[in-house]
Amino acid sequence: MREAPDRVRRLPDQYFTALLAKVGAATLHGGEPLVDLGRGNPEVGPPEHVVRALAECAERHDVHGYAPFSGLPALKEAIAVRYGEVYGVHLDPAREVAVLPGTKTGLIEFALCAVESGDTIVLPDPGYPDYFSAVALAGAAHVPFTDFDVAADAMYLNFPSNPTAATVPAGLFAEAVEWAERNSAWLLHDFAYGDLVFDGRPPESFLTADGARRVGIELFSMSKTYGMAGWRLGFALGNAELVRRIELLQDHIFAGIFRPVQEAAIAALTGPQDSVEDRRATYERRRDRVLASLEGIETQSEGTFFVWFKLPAGIAVDGLLVEHRVAVAPGEGFGARGAGWARLSLAVSDEILDRGLDRLRAAFS
C-alpha cells in the first residue's frame, strides 16, 4: 500500500481531537465525576424561532435537492444587512459574500486560495490550532506574529482571540492593512467571537478599517453569535477576488448547503436579536465570577467565552485533570507562547462552572 501523500502527512496532530481523547480517558478511569472546562462548544443552542424555521422548511417537498452551490441570494443579503446595521460595514452581497459550510472550512479555503506552495503565512501565537492545518494543506510555511516588520505572503488575525480572549488593540487593523499593501499580501480576520465582547466594548469588524476590502476577508460564524455550532454555516466577507476564488473552489468540492439550514440562518439574522445580547451578557457574568474566584492569578478575558489564565508555579494541566478531576485546555497546544497558560471555557452551566472553580481553587491553594 502506498503511503499517504505529503499533504496528509504534513497535517499536525488535531489538537482538539487529542484533548477530547485525554479527557475521555480520564473519565473512563472512574473516580469523582470529571468537570470539563476545556471545550469551546456553546452550551445553549439557537433561539426557538430559528429551530422552527429549519423544521418548517425541511417539511417542504421542494427543498431536498441541491441548493444553489454559492448559497441562497436571500442569505447573502441577510448577512450584508446585518453587517451594515451592527458593524457599519456595507457589503455587496453578490460580489463580497461567500456562504461557507462552517468557518473552519473557510480557514482552509483562504490558505488554498491566497498562497502558493512554499509561501509564508503569519499566524497568531498563541492562536487557534486549525490555522496550522490550513498552512499544512496549502504547502506553505508559517511564522509567529511578532510585529508588522515581518515579510510574508498572508496573515491570519483573530479578535476577540481564541485562546487569549483579547480584543483588538487600537489601530492594529489599520497597521495590518498597511502591512498587507506593503508586502502585496492577503489578510484573513477570523471574527468567530465578534459579538461576544465585554465591559461595554462594541464589536469591531476588520472591514471597518480603511482599505481592508482591498487586501482581505473576514470570516463570520453562526456558531458563537447564534449557538448554531453543529449546523456548520458561516461567511467569508470582503475582498471580491478572494470571495470569487473561494466560491470557485467550493463549486469543485461541495454541492451547496442544505436549504433548511440556510433558511434558518436567514431567520436568525433577520429575526429578533435579543438572544445575542442574552448570550453575551451570560458569558460576561460568568467571566466576572471566574476572575473573582481566581483573584491573585494572572487572567485575561475581554471577549469570547473563554478565560486565559497563567498556571501557578508547580501546577500542570495534566495534574489538574488527574488529581483534581477538572479539565482545562493547555496553552502550549495553541502555540509555543502559550506554554505555562491555560484556557478555561465559560460555555458550561453555572453549576458546572462553580464546581470547576472550587476544584481549581483547591488545586491552587
Side-chain angles (χ1 to χ4, degrees), residues 79-91 191 203-209 213 218:
I79 188 63
V81 169
R82 188 185 193 280
Y83 254 68
E85 293 176 347
V86 177
Y87 312 123
V89 174
H90 301 286
L91 295 161
F191 200 39
E204 187 172 352
S205 166
F206 162 69
L207 298 178
T208 60
R213 268 179 280 192
E218 181 163 85

Side-chain angles (χ1 to χ4, degrees), residues 68-72 75-77 79-80 83 91-103 106 109-110 113 207 217-222 233-251 257 262:
F69 282 13
S70 62
L72 299 178
L75 178 56
K76 293 185 173 187
E77 178 67 29
I79 188 63
Y83 254 68
L91 295 161
D92 178 348
R95 298 177 58 253
E96 297 178 324
V97 177
V99 180
L100 311 174
T103 53
E109 293 175 334
F110 169 79
C113 292
L207 298 178
I217 58 172
E218 181 163 85
L219 301 186
F220 179 89
S221 172
M222 299 296 289
L233 188 68
F235 303 92
L237 309 146
N239 183 270
E241 172 59 20
L242 278 178
V243 165
R244 183 194 69 80
R245 293 182 193 178
I246 288 170
E247 289 192 331
L248 175 62
L249 181 63
Q250 292 192 156
D251 283 348
I257 296 167
Q262 296 189 66

Side-chain angles (χ1 to χ4, degrees), residues 67-152:
F69 282 13
S70 62
L72 299 178
L75 178 56
K76 293 185 173 187
E77 178 67 29
I79 188 63
V81 169
R82 188 185 193 280
Y83 254 68
E85 293 176 347
V86 177
Y87 312 123
V89 174
H90 301 286
L91 295 161
D92 178 348
R95 298 177 58 253
E96 297 178 324
V97 177
V99 180
L100 311 174
T103 53
K104 179 173 176 174
T105 304
L107 299 174
I108 306 295
E109 293 175 334
F110 169 79
L112 295 176
C113 292
V115 301
E116 297 281 2
S117 178
D119 283 353
T120 301
I121 301 177
V122 181
L123 299 181
D125 183 3
Y128 184 56
D130 284 334
Y131 299 156
F132 299 111
S133 306
V135 171
L137 286 172
H142 65 84
V143 296
F145 177 85
T146 52
D147 54 43
F148 287 109
D149 290 334
V150 64

Side-chain angles (χ1 to χ4, degrees), residues 114-198:
V115 301
E116 297 281 2
S117 178
D119 283 353
T120 301
I121 301 177
V122 181
L123 299 181
D125 183 3
Y128 184 56
D130 284 334
Y131 299 156
F132 299 111
S133 306
V135 171
L137 286 172
H142 65 84
V143 296
F145 177 85
T146 52
D147 54 43
F148 287 109
D149 290 334
V150 64
D153 303 286
M155 178 183 290
Y156 283 63
L157 300 170
N158 173 215
F159 296 102
S161 163
N162 177 12
T164 70
T167 53
V168 62
L172 185 140
F173 285 155
E175 285 187 79
V177 172
E178 291 175 6
W179 173 87
E181 292 182 324
R182 188 168 66 249
N183 288 273
S184 298
W186 290 111
L187 287 170
L188 176 141
H189 180 230
D190 179 1
F191 200 39
Y193 298 88
D195 295 306
L196 302 181
V197 286
F198 306 146

Side-chain angles (χ1 to χ4, degrees), residues 32 34 314-326 359 363:
E32 193 172 3
L34 188 75
I315 298 294
V317 167
D318 284 350
L320 293 174
L321 181 63
V322 173
E323 299 170 25
H324 297 275
R325 306 292 289 170
V326 59
R359 296 184 185 184

Side-chain angles (χ1 to χ4, degrees), residues 330-348:
E332 59 267 25
F334 299 96
R337 294 179 191 152
W341 291 75
R343 191 194 73 179
L344 179 154
S345 176
L346 305 170
V348 294

